Amino acid sequence: MAKSMTPVQLLRELEPVAEQNLDRHLSMAKEWHPHDYVPWDEGRNFAAMGGTDWAPGESRLGEVARAAMITNLLTEDNLPSYHRLISDAFSRDGTWRTWVDRWTAEENRHGIAIRDYLVVTRGVDPVALERARMICMEQGVDNPNGTGDHSVLPGVAYVTFQELATRVSHRNTGRVCDDPIADRMLTRIATDENLHMVFYRNICGAALDLVPDDALAAISAVIRNFTMPGAGMPDFRRNSVLLAKHGIYDLRQHLEEVIEPVLRKWNIFERNDFSPRGAEVLDELGTFLEKLRTDVVRFEEQRDRALARDAARRERESV
Ligand SMILES: [Fe+2]
Ligand SMILES: [Fe+2]
Protein backbone atom coordinates (compact mmCIF):
# COMPACT_ATOMS: atom_id res chain seq x y z
CA MET A 1 0.00 0.00 0.00
CA ALA A 2 1.54 3.27 -1.10
CA LYS A 3 2.01 5.86 1.60
CA SER A 4 0.19 9.16 1.52
CA MET A 5 0.30 12.12 3.87
CA THR A 6 -1.55 15.38 4.26
CA PRO A 7 0.51 18.52 3.56
CA VAL A 8 0.58 19.26 7.31
CA GLN A 9 1.94 15.77 8.12
CA LEU A 10 4.47 16.10 5.33
CA LEU A 11 5.73 19.43 6.59
CA ARG A 12 6.11 17.98 10.07
CA GLU A 13 8.01 14.94 8.76
CA LEU A 14 10.21 17.05 6.50
CA GLU A 15 11.03 19.73 9.03
CA PRO A 16 14.28 18.05 10.26
CA VAL A 17 15.45 17.84 6.63
CA ALA A 18 14.58 21.51 6.17
CA GLU A 19 16.56 22.34 9.31
CA GLN A 20 19.66 20.46 8.12
CA ASN A 21 19.42 22.11 4.73
CA LEU A 22 18.89 25.55 6.21
CA ASP A 23 22.08 25.04 8.26
CA ARG A 24 23.89 23.83 5.17
CA HIS A 25 22.66 26.84 3.22
CA LEU A 26 23.71 29.32 5.90
CA SER A 27 27.17 27.76 6.12
CA MET A 28 27.66 28.08 2.35
CA ALA A 29 25.93 31.36 1.47
CA LYS A 30 28.42 34.22 1.30
CA GLU A 31 27.46 37.76 2.18
CA TRP A 32 27.60 40.10 -0.79
CA HIS A 33 26.54 43.66 -1.48
CA PRO A 34 24.72 44.90 -4.58
CA HIS A 35 26.66 48.20 -4.50
CA ASP A 36 29.90 46.28 -5.12
CA TYR A 37 28.58 45.16 -8.51
CA VAL A 38 27.50 48.51 -9.96
CA PRO A 39 29.80 51.04 -11.75
CA TRP A 40 28.52 54.09 -9.89
CA ASP A 41 30.98 56.49 -11.55
CA GLU A 42 29.08 55.99 -14.82
CA GLY A 43 25.90 57.41 -13.27
CA ARG A 44 24.39 60.70 -14.44
CA ASN A 45 21.31 62.62 -13.38
CA PHE A 46 18.10 62.34 -15.35
CA ALA A 47 16.14 65.40 -16.53
CA ALA A 48 14.13 65.80 -13.31
CA MET A 49 17.45 66.41 -11.51
CA GLY A 50 18.89 68.76 -14.13
CA GLY A 51 20.47 66.08 -16.34
CA THR A 52 19.20 64.35 -19.46
CA ASP A 53 16.66 61.61 -19.88
CA TRP A 54 17.48 58.21 -21.32
CA ALA A 55 17.86 57.86 -25.07
CA PRO A 56 18.11 54.54 -26.94
CA GLY A 57 21.64 55.18 -28.23
CA GLU A 58 22.97 55.31 -24.64
CA SER A 59 22.59 51.61 -23.99
CA ARG A 60 25.68 49.60 -24.69
CA LEU A 61 23.71 46.37 -24.33
CA GLY A 62 22.63 44.57 -27.49
CA GLU A 63 19.00 43.72 -28.21
CA VAL A 64 19.25 40.18 -26.80
CA ALA A 65 21.05 41.31 -23.63
CA ARG A 66 18.45 44.02 -23.04
CA ALA A 67 15.54 41.60 -23.48
CA ALA A 68 17.23 39.08 -21.18
CA MET A 69 18.04 41.63 -18.48
CA ILE A 70 14.48 42.99 -18.49
CA THR A 71 12.91 39.53 -18.40
CA ASN A 72 15.19 38.40 -15.57
CA LEU A 73 14.68 41.58 -13.57
CA LEU A 74 10.88 41.58 -13.91
CA THR A 75 10.93 37.93 -12.85
CA GLU A 76 12.92 38.88 -9.74
CA ASP A 77 10.59 41.84 -9.13
CA ASN A 78 7.60 39.56 -8.63
CA LEU A 79 9.16 38.31 -5.40
CA PRO A 80 6.15 39.26 -3.22
CA SER A 81 4.03 36.79 -5.21
CA TYR A 82 6.57 33.99 -4.82
CA HIS A 83 6.91 34.80 -1.14
CA ARG A 84 3.16 34.48 -0.73
CA LEU A 85 3.02 31.18 -2.62
CA ILE A 86 5.95 29.52 -0.90
CA SER A 87 4.88 30.83 2.49
CA ASP A 88 1.41 29.32 1.94
CA ALA A 89 2.93 26.02 0.78
CA PHE A 90 5.16 25.78 3.85
CA SER A 91 4.12 26.95 7.30
CA ARG A 92 4.37 30.22 9.14
CA ASP A 93 6.52 28.98 11.98
CA GLY A 94 9.64 27.01 12.82
CA THR A 95 12.31 26.22 10.26
CA TRP A 96 9.95 26.70 7.32
CA ARG A 97 9.33 30.29 8.34
CA THR A 98 13.05 30.94 8.93
CA TRP A 99 13.89 29.58 5.49
CA VAL A 100 11.16 31.47 3.63
CA ASP A 101 12.22 34.80 5.12
CA ARG A 102 15.92 34.18 4.58
CA TRP A 103 15.32 33.10 0.98
CA THR A 104 13.13 36.15 0.36
CA ALA A 105 15.82 38.48 1.69
CA GLU A 106 18.44 36.89 -0.58
CA GLU A 107 16.16 37.04 -3.61
CA ASN A 108 15.44 40.71 -3.02
CA ARG A 109 19.14 41.43 -3.52
CA HIS A 110 18.95 40.17 -7.09
CA GLY A 111 16.41 42.75 -8.20
CA ILE A 112 18.26 45.50 -6.34
CA ALA A 113 21.58 44.72 -8.04
CA ILE A 114 20.20 44.31 -11.57
CA ARG A 115 18.07 47.46 -11.37
CA ASP A 116 20.91 49.57 -9.99
CA TYR A 117 23.19 48.32 -12.75
CA LEU A 118 20.65 49.02 -15.52
CA VAL A 119 19.76 52.50 -14.27
CA VAL A 120 23.33 53.62 -13.59
CA THR A 121 24.69 52.35 -16.91
CA ARG A 122 21.56 53.50 -18.81
CA GLY A 123 21.26 49.98 -20.15
CA VAL A 124 17.48 50.15 -20.65
CA ASP A 125 14.76 52.81 -20.69
CA PRO A 126 14.08 53.38 -16.97
CA VAL A 127 10.56 54.70 -17.59
CA ALA A 128 9.53 51.66 -19.63
CA LEU A 129 11.19 49.44 -17.02
CA GLU A 130 9.25 51.03 -14.18
CA ARG A 131 5.96 50.78 -16.09
CA ALA A 132 6.64 47.12 -16.84
CA ARG A 133 7.40 46.49 -13.16
CA MET A 134 4.07 48.03 -12.17
CA ILE A 135 2.19 45.87 -14.68
CA CYS A 136 3.95 42.70 -13.53
CA MET A 137 3.53 43.29 -9.84
CA GLU A 138 -0.07 44.44 -10.07
CA GLN A 139 -0.80 41.28 -11.99
CA GLY A 140 1.26 39.10 -9.64
CA VAL A 141 1.97 35.43 -10.15
CA ASP A 142 -0.71 33.01 -9.11
CA ASN A 143 -0.26 29.62 -10.71
CA PRO A 144 3.36 29.39 -11.79
CA ASN A 145 3.53 25.60 -11.60
CA GLY A 146 0.53 25.33 -13.88
CA THR A 147 -1.14 22.59 -11.84
CA GLY A 148 -3.44 24.79 -9.76
CA ASP A 149 -2.11 22.97 -6.68
CA HIS A 150 0.31 24.97 -4.54
CA SER A 151 0.71 22.68 -1.61
CA VAL A 152 4.14 21.56 -0.49
CA LEU A 153 4.85 18.80 -3.06
CA PRO A 154 4.17 20.65 -6.33
CA GLY A 155 5.51 23.77 -4.58
CA VAL A 156 8.98 22.36 -3.90
CA ALA A 157 9.11 20.49 -7.20
CA TYR A 158 8.40 23.70 -9.11
CA VAL A 159 10.86 25.90 -7.24
CA THR A 160 13.61 23.30 -7.68
CA PHE A 161 13.30 23.58 -11.47
CA GLN A 162 12.57 27.28 -11.39
CA GLU A 163 15.67 28.17 -9.32
CA LEU A 164 17.84 26.14 -11.66
CA ALA A 165 16.18 27.76 -14.69
CA THR A 166 16.92 31.25 -13.33
CA ARG A 167 20.50 30.19 -12.65
CA VAL A 168 20.93 29.16 -16.29
CA SER A 169 19.21 32.27 -17.56
CA HIS A 170 21.21 34.72 -15.39
CA ARG A 171 24.49 33.05 -16.28
CA ASN A 172 23.80 33.11 -20.01
CA THR A 173 22.56 36.70 -19.82
CA GLY A 174 25.90 37.64 -18.23
CA ARG A 175 27.66 36.16 -21.24
CA VAL A 176 25.70 38.09 -23.87
CA CYS A 177 26.02 41.45 -22.10
CA ASP A 178 29.55 41.80 -23.38
CA ASP A 179 30.41 43.69 -20.18
CA PRO A 180 32.60 42.10 -17.51
CA ILE A 181 30.78 44.06 -14.79
CA ALA A 182 27.37 42.68 -15.76
CA ASP A 183 28.83 39.22 -16.19
CA ARG A 184 30.34 39.29 -12.70
CA MET A 185 27.08 40.51 -11.15
CA LEU A 186 24.97 37.87 -12.91
CA THR A 187 27.45 35.12 -12.07
CA ARG A 188 27.14 36.16 -8.44
CA ILE A 189 23.34 36.02 -8.65
CA ALA A 190 23.45 32.66 -10.46
CA THR A 191 25.49 31.24 -7.55
CA ASP A 192 22.68 32.23 -5.16
CA GLU A 193 20.09 30.61 -7.41
CA ASN A 194 22.07 27.40 -7.40
CA LEU A 195 22.16 27.28 -3.61
CA HIS A 196 18.42 27.91 -3.49
CA MET A 197 17.87 25.10 -5.97
CA VAL A 198 19.91 22.71 -3.80
CA PHE A 199 17.73 23.49 -0.77
CA TYR A 200 14.48 22.80 -2.62
CA ARG A 201 15.90 19.81 -4.47
CA ASN A 202 16.92 18.19 -1.18
CA ILE A 203 13.50 18.79 0.35
CA CYS A 204 11.80 17.33 -2.70
CA GLY A 205 14.25 14.38 -2.65
CA ALA A 206 13.34 13.66 0.99
CA ALA A 207 9.64 13.88 0.06
CA LEU A 208 10.24 11.25 -2.63
CA ASP A 209 11.61 8.90 0.04
CA LEU A 210 8.67 9.62 2.32
CA VAL A 211 5.77 9.48 -0.15
CA PRO A 212 7.23 8.21 -3.43
CA ASP A 213 4.04 8.06 -5.50
CA ASP A 214 2.65 11.42 -4.41
CA ALA A 215 5.98 13.17 -4.84
CA LEU A 216 6.46 11.66 -8.29
CA ALA A 217 2.94 12.69 -9.33
CA ALA A 218 3.71 16.28 -8.27
CA ILE A 219 7.09 16.30 -10.05
CA SER A 220 5.60 14.89 -13.22
CA ALA A 221 2.71 17.39 -13.22
CA VAL A 222 5.12 20.28 -12.69
CA ILE A 223 7.40 19.18 -15.54
CA ARG A 224 4.48 18.76 -17.93
CA ASN A 225 3.03 22.16 -17.11
CA PHE A 226 6.27 24.08 -16.64
CA THR A 227 6.41 27.70 -17.71
CA MET A 228 8.71 30.46 -16.55
CA PRO A 229 6.79 32.75 -14.21
CA GLY A 230 6.92 35.73 -16.56
CA ALA A 231 4.02 34.86 -18.82
CA GLY A 232 2.14 38.07 -18.03
CA MET A 233 5.04 40.46 -18.63
CA PRO A 234 4.84 43.10 -21.35
CA ASP A 235 6.54 41.69 -24.48
CA PHE A 236 6.99 38.30 -22.81
CA ARG A 237 6.37 36.30 -25.97
CA ARG A 238 8.63 38.39 -28.10
CA ASN A 239 11.34 38.39 -25.46
CA SER A 240 11.18 34.70 -24.68
CA VAL A 241 11.42 33.87 -28.39
CA LEU A 242 14.48 36.12 -28.58
CA LEU A 243 16.03 34.44 -25.52
CA ALA A 244 15.36 30.97 -26.90
CA LYS A 245 16.69 31.93 -30.31
CA HIS A 246 19.96 33.16 -28.83
CA GLY A 247 20.57 30.44 -26.26
CA ILE A 248 19.78 32.37 -23.08
CA TYR A 249 17.08 29.90 -22.17
CA ASP A 250 15.95 27.43 -24.79
CA LEU A 251 14.32 24.03 -24.90
CA ARG A 252 17.59 22.08 -24.93
CA GLN A 253 18.85 23.99 -21.89
CA HIS A 254 15.50 23.43 -20.19
CA LEU A 255 15.74 19.69 -20.79
CA GLU A 256 19.48 19.06 -20.39
CA GLU A 257 20.53 21.65 -17.82
CA VAL A 258 17.39 21.87 -15.71
CA ILE A 259 15.03 18.86 -15.91
CA GLU A 260 17.43 15.97 -16.51
CA PRO A 261 20.15 16.77 -13.93
CA VAL A 262 17.53 17.12 -11.19
CA LEU A 263 15.76 13.90 -12.17
CA ARG A 264 19.13 12.12 -12.17
CA LYS A 265 19.90 13.48 -8.71
CA TRP A 266 16.58 12.10 -7.49
CA ASN A 267 17.30 8.79 -9.21
CA ILE A 268 13.79 8.96 -10.60
CA PHE A 269 14.12 6.31 -13.27
CA GLU A 270 16.11 3.86 -11.12
CA ARG A 271 13.95 3.85 -8.01
CA ASN A 272 12.03 0.76 -7.03
CA ASP A 273 9.77 2.22 -4.36
CA PHE A 274 6.86 3.23 -6.59
CA SER A 275 3.56 1.34 -6.52
CA PRO A 276 1.97 0.22 -9.84
CA ARG A 277 0.21 3.60 -9.93
CA GLY A 278 3.57 5.36 -9.48
CA ALA A 279 5.13 3.16 -12.17
CA GLU A 280 2.43 4.31 -14.58
CA VAL A 281 3.15 7.97 -13.81
CA LEU A 282 6.84 7.25 -14.35
CA ASP A 283 6.10 5.74 -17.77
CA GLU A 284 4.07 8.78 -18.74
CA LEU A 285 6.87 11.05 -17.61
CA GLY A 286 9.36 9.03 -19.67
CA THR A 287 7.14 9.38 -22.75
CA PHE A 288 6.78 13.10 -22.16
CA LEU A 289 10.56 13.57 -21.93
CA GLU A 290 11.03 11.52 -25.11
CA LYS A 291 8.69 13.90 -26.90
CA LEU A 292 10.54 16.89 -25.44
CA ARG A 293 13.78 15.49 -26.91
CA THR A 294 12.16 15.34 -30.35
CA ASP A 295 10.82 18.88 -29.88
CA VAL A 296 14.35 20.08 -29.05
CA VAL A 297 15.65 18.84 -32.40
CA ARG A 298 12.71 20.32 -34.30
CA PHE A 299 13.09 23.65 -32.49
CA GLU A 300 16.79 23.81 -33.25
CA GLU A 301 16.24 23.09 -36.93
CA GLN A 302 13.70 25.90 -37.10
CA ARG A 303 16.00 28.19 -35.15
CA ASP A 304 18.95 27.52 -37.44
CA ARG A 305 16.81 28.31 -40.46
CA ALA A 306 15.55 31.54 -38.83
CA LEU A 307 19.09 32.63 -37.87
CA ALA A 308 20.30 31.90 -41.39
CA ARG A 309 17.44 34.03 -42.80
CA ASP A 310 18.36 36.86 -40.38
CA ALA A 311 22.00 36.68 -41.45
CA ALA A 312 21.05 36.71 -45.14
CA ARG A 313 18.81 39.74 -44.60
CA ARG A 314 21.57 41.63 -42.81
CA GLU A 315 23.94 40.73 -45.62
CA ARG A 316 21.49 42.10 -48.21
CA GLU A 317 20.89 45.26 -46.20
CA SER A 318 24.59 45.95 -45.87
CA VAL A 319 25.25 45.88 -49.62
FE1 LIG B 1 16.70 35.44 -7.85
FE1 LIG C 1 16.66 32.02 -6.15
Side-chain angles (χ1 to χ4, degrees):
M1 180 71 196
K3 269 193 286 183
S4 234
M5 286 185 194
T6 65
V8 172
Q9 286 172 318
L10 257 175
L11 288 167
R12 206 173 36 235
E13 290 291 322
L14 290 171
E15 187 154 14
V17 184
E19 198 174 334
Q20 268 166 28
N21 278 279
L22 173 65
D23 289 347
R24 177 190 182 278
H25 178 85
L26 294 175
S27 73
M28 298 192 67
K30 291 200 179 63
E31 188 187 21
W32 64 275
H33 301 275
H35 71 258
D36 289 330
Y37 291 80
V38 176
W40 296 98
D41 60 351
E42 289 185 26
R44 280 182 296 118
N45 285 351
F46 291 93
M49 298 275 281
T52 50
D53 274 339
W54 184 87
E58 289 177 320
S59 175
R60 60 170 179 246
L61 298 173
E63 190 193 8
V64 177
R66 275 202 310 273
M69 277 286 203
I70 291 169
T71 306
N72 292 358
L73 175 53
L74 294 176
T75 303
E76 296 286 349
D77 278 340
N78 248 332
L79 179 58
S81 280
Y82 317 136
H83 175 89
R84 179 173 57 218
L85 285 163
I86 204 80
S87 168
D88 285 352
F90 290 170
S91 70
R92 293 201 175 190
D93 48 22
T95 304
W96 298 112
R97 168 67 180 264
T98 312
W99 164 260
V100 170
D101 288 349
R102 166 78 195 201
W103 168 81
T104 304
E106 290 186 11
E107 286 292 353
N108 198 13
R109 223 179 244 161
H110 302 166
I112 293 170
I114 300 175
R115 176 164 280 98
D116 284 351
Y117 169 87
L118 289 176
V119 173
V120 166
T121 62
R122 295 189 174 230
V124 300
D125 178 353
V127 175
L129 181 64
E130 180 61 5
R131 287 180 183 153
R133 185 188 65 80
M134 288 297 290
I135 291 170
C136 283
M137 291 189 71
E138 284 185 289
Q139 198 166 267
V141 173
D142 202 32
N143 183 24
N145 73 32
T147 69
D149 177 355
H150 303 293
S151 61
V152 54
L153 288 176
V156 288
Y158 179 75
V159 282
T160 303
F161 296 119
Q162 163 59 17
E163 291 282 359
L164 192 47
T166 51
R167 177 201 184 194
V168 168
S169 161
H170 282 308
R171 214 179 36 194
N172 291 332
T173 301
R175 288 183 190 138
V176 293
C177 282
D178 210 12
D179 173 9
I181 296 173
D183 193 28
R184 185 169 154 262
M185 171 184 71
L186 292 169
T187 303
R188 179 55 261 183
I189 293 174
T191 306
D192 280 7
E193 308 296 21
N194 196 49
L195 269 185
H196 297 158
M197 179 277 290
V198 171
F199 177 90
Y200 293 121
R201 189 187 64 195
N202 291 350
I203 301 293
C204 199
L208 265 169
D209 294 338
L210 217 52
V211 284
D213 278 10
D214 290 353
L216 174 66
I219 291 164
S220 177
V222 162
I223 291 176
R224 289 149 163 276
N225 292 288
F226 191 90
T227 48
M228 291 292 261
M233 283 174 196
D235 297 326
F236 180 72
R237 249 203 83 70
R238 178 191 163 270
N239 287 349
S240 52
V241 167
L242 207 56
L243 304 195
K245 205 164 145 189
H246 295 274
I248 308 291
Y249 197 80
D250 64 23
L251 207 52
R252 183 181 291 281
Q253 288 159 330
H254 181 62
L255 178 68
E256 294 181 358
E257 296 178 37
V258 175
I259 303 292
E260 287 180 338
V262 171
L263 293 182
R264 269 199 299 277
K265 198 77 186 171
W266 288 331
N267 245 343
I268 286 282
F269 289 101
E270 282 79 42
R271 303 176 71 101
N272 49 19
D273 51 358
F274 296 127
S275 75
R277 175 174 72 91
E280 247 173 67
V281 174
L282 193 63
D283 273 354
E284 286 161 13
L285 179 60
T287 310
F288 179 82
L289 293 177
E290 240 355 279
K291 182 177 174 300
L292 210 55
R293 272 179 213 114
T294 323
D295 291 348
V296 165
V297 176
R298 190 168 341 117
F299 166 77
E300 287 181 345
E301 285 166 1
Q302 281 168 2
R303 172 169 72 182
D304 291 347
R305 281 199 295 273
L307 289 172
R309 274 198 304 274
D310 289 353
R313 198 182 50 234
R314 273 198 306 274
E315 181 83 5
R316 274 199 309 277
E317 284 164 5
S318 68
V319 215

PDB file of all heavy atoms in Angstrom, residues 103 107 110 163 166 192-193 196, ligand 2:
ATOM      1  N   TRP A 103      15.309  33.239   2.443  1.00  0.00           N
ATOM      2  CA  TRP A 103      15.324  33.104   0.981  1.00  0.00           C
ATOM      3  C   TRP A 103      14.792  34.387   0.323  1.00  0.00           C
ATOM      4  O   TRP A 103      15.356  34.886  -0.645  1.00  0.00           O
ATOM      5  CB  TRP A 103      14.469  31.879   0.607  1.00  0.00           C
ATOM      6  CG  TRP A 103      14.155  31.761  -0.845  1.00  0.00           C
ATOM      7  CD1 TRP A 103      14.968  31.266  -1.825  1.00  0.00           C
ATOM      8  CD2 TRP A 103      12.935  32.163  -1.487  1.00  0.00           C
ATOM      9  NE1 TRP A 103      14.319  31.328  -3.036  1.00  0.00           N
ATOM     10  CE2 TRP A 103      13.073  31.869  -2.859  1.00  0.00           C
ATOM     11  CE3 TRP A 103      11.743  32.723  -1.035  1.00  0.00           C
ATOM     12  CZ2 TRP A 103      12.071  32.140  -3.786  1.00  0.00           C
ATOM     13  CZ3 TRP A 103      10.738  32.992  -1.955  1.00  0.00           C
ATOM     14  CH2 TRP A 103      10.907  32.696  -3.313  1.00  0.00           C
ATOM     15  N   GLU A 107      16.710  36.776  -2.279  1.00  0.00           N
ATOM     16  CA  GLU A 107      16.158  37.040  -3.614  1.00  0.00           C
ATOM     17  C   GLU A 107      16.029  38.542  -3.882  1.00  0.00           C
ATOM     18  O   GLU A 107      16.273  39.007  -4.992  1.00  0.00           O
ATOM     19  CB  GLU A 107      14.777  36.381  -3.763  1.00  0.00           C
ATOM     20  CG  GLU A 107      14.803  34.879  -3.925  1.00  0.00           C
ATOM     21  CD  GLU A 107      15.406  34.436  -5.239  1.00  0.00           C
ATOM     22  OE1 GLU A 107      15.696  35.276  -6.097  1.00  0.00           O
ATOM     23  OE2 GLU A 107      15.610  33.219  -5.410  1.00  0.00           O
ATOM     24  N   HIS A 110      18.742  40.342  -5.645  1.00  0.00           N
ATOM     25  CA  HIS A 110      18.953  40.166  -7.091  1.00  0.00           C
ATOM     26  C   HIS A 110      18.327  41.326  -7.874  1.00  0.00           C
ATOM     27  O   HIS A 110      18.945  41.897  -8.764  1.00  0.00           O
ATOM     28  CB  HIS A 110      18.369  38.828  -7.552  1.00  0.00           C
ATOM     29  CG  HIS A 110      18.977  37.660  -6.830  1.00  0.00           C
ATOM     30  ND1 HIS A 110      18.441  36.404  -6.853  1.00  0.00           N
ATOM     31  CD2 HIS A 110      20.081  37.586  -6.043  1.00  0.00           C
ATOM     32  CE1 HIS A 110      19.192  35.593  -6.131  1.00  0.00           C
ATOM     33  NE2 HIS A 110      20.188  36.291  -5.617  1.00  0.00           N
ATOM     34  N   GLU A 163      14.397  27.584  -9.785  1.00  0.00           N
ATOM     35  CA  GLU A 163      15.672  28.169  -9.324  1.00  0.00           C
ATOM     36  C   GLU A 163      16.803  27.811 -10.289  1.00  0.00           C
ATOM     37  O   GLU A 163      17.655  28.638 -10.607  1.00  0.00           O
ATOM     38  CB  GLU A 163      16.037  27.658  -7.920  1.00  0.00           C
ATOM     39  CG  GLU A 163      15.129  28.147  -6.801  1.00  0.00           C
ATOM     40  CD  GLU A 163      15.408  29.585  -6.353  1.00  0.00           C
ATOM     41  OE1 GLU A 163      16.320  30.228  -6.895  1.00  0.00           O
ATOM     42  OE2 GLU A 163      14.688  30.057  -5.465  1.00  0.00           O
ATOM     43  N   THR A 166      16.447  29.863 -13.450  1.00  0.00           N
ATOM     44  CA  THR A 166      16.917  31.246 -13.325  1.00  0.00           C
ATOM     45  C   THR A 166      18.444  31.275 -13.268  1.00  0.00           C
ATOM     46  O   THR A 166      19.077  32.187 -13.775  1.00  0.00           O
ATOM     47  CB  THR A 166      16.337  31.968 -12.087  1.00  0.00           C
ATOM     48  OG1 THR A 166      16.551  31.170 -10.940  1.00  0.00           O
ATOM     49  CG2 THR A 166      14.865  32.245 -12.223  1.00  0.00           C
ATOM     50  N   ASP A 192      23.775  32.258  -6.145  1.00  0.00           N
ATOM     51  CA  ASP A 192      22.678  32.232  -5.162  1.00  0.00           C
ATOM     52  C   ASP A 192      21.567  31.292  -5.623  1.00  0.00           C
ATOM     53  O   ASP A 192      21.042  30.489  -4.845  1.00  0.00           O
ATOM     54  CB  ASP A 192      22.014  33.619  -5.028  1.00  0.00           C
ATOM     55  CG  ASP A 192      22.798  34.577  -4.140  1.00  0.00           C
ATOM     56  OD1 ASP A 192      23.924  34.234  -3.734  1.00  0.00           O
ATOM     57  OD2 ASP A 192      22.253  35.670  -3.861  1.00  0.00           O
ATOM     58  N   GLU A 193      21.205  31.424  -6.904  1.00  0.00           N
ATOM     59  CA  GLU A 193      20.087  30.614  -7.414  1.00  0.00           C
ATOM     60  C   GLU A 193      20.419  29.130  -7.282  1.00  0.00           C
ATOM     61  O   GLU A 193      19.551  28.308  -6.990  1.00  0.00           O
ATOM     62  CB  GLU A 193      19.775  30.941  -8.883  1.00  0.00           C
ATOM     63  CG  GLU A 193      19.561  32.410  -9.220  1.00  0.00           C
ATOM     64  CD  GLU A 193      18.360  33.074  -8.555  1.00  0.00           C
ATOM     65  OE1 GLU A 193      17.877  32.567  -7.536  1.00  0.00           O
ATOM     66  OE2 GLU A 193      17.925  34.126  -9.070  1.00  0.00           O
ATOM     67  N   HIS A 196      19.853  28.036  -3.762  1.00  0.00           N
ATOM     68  CA  HIS A 196      18.416  27.907  -3.495  1.00  0.00           C
ATOM     69  C   HIS A 196      17.889  26.600  -4.079  1.00  0.00           C
ATOM     70  O   HIS A 196      17.117  25.888  -3.446  1.00  0.00           O
ATOM     71  CB  HIS A 196      17.638  29.075  -4.130  1.00  0.00           C
ATOM     72  CG  HIS A 196      18.003  30.412  -3.570  1.00  0.00           C
ATOM     73  ND1 HIS A 196      17.785  31.588  -4.234  1.00  0.00           N
ATOM     74  CD2 HIS A 196      18.582  30.753  -2.387  1.00  0.00           C
ATOM     75  CE1 HIS A 196      18.210  32.597  -3.496  1.00  0.00           C
ATOM     76  NE2 HIS A 196      18.698  32.127  -2.377  1.00  0.00           N
TER      77      HIS A 196
HETATM   78 FE    FE B   2      16.661  32.016  -6.146  1.00  0.00          FE
END
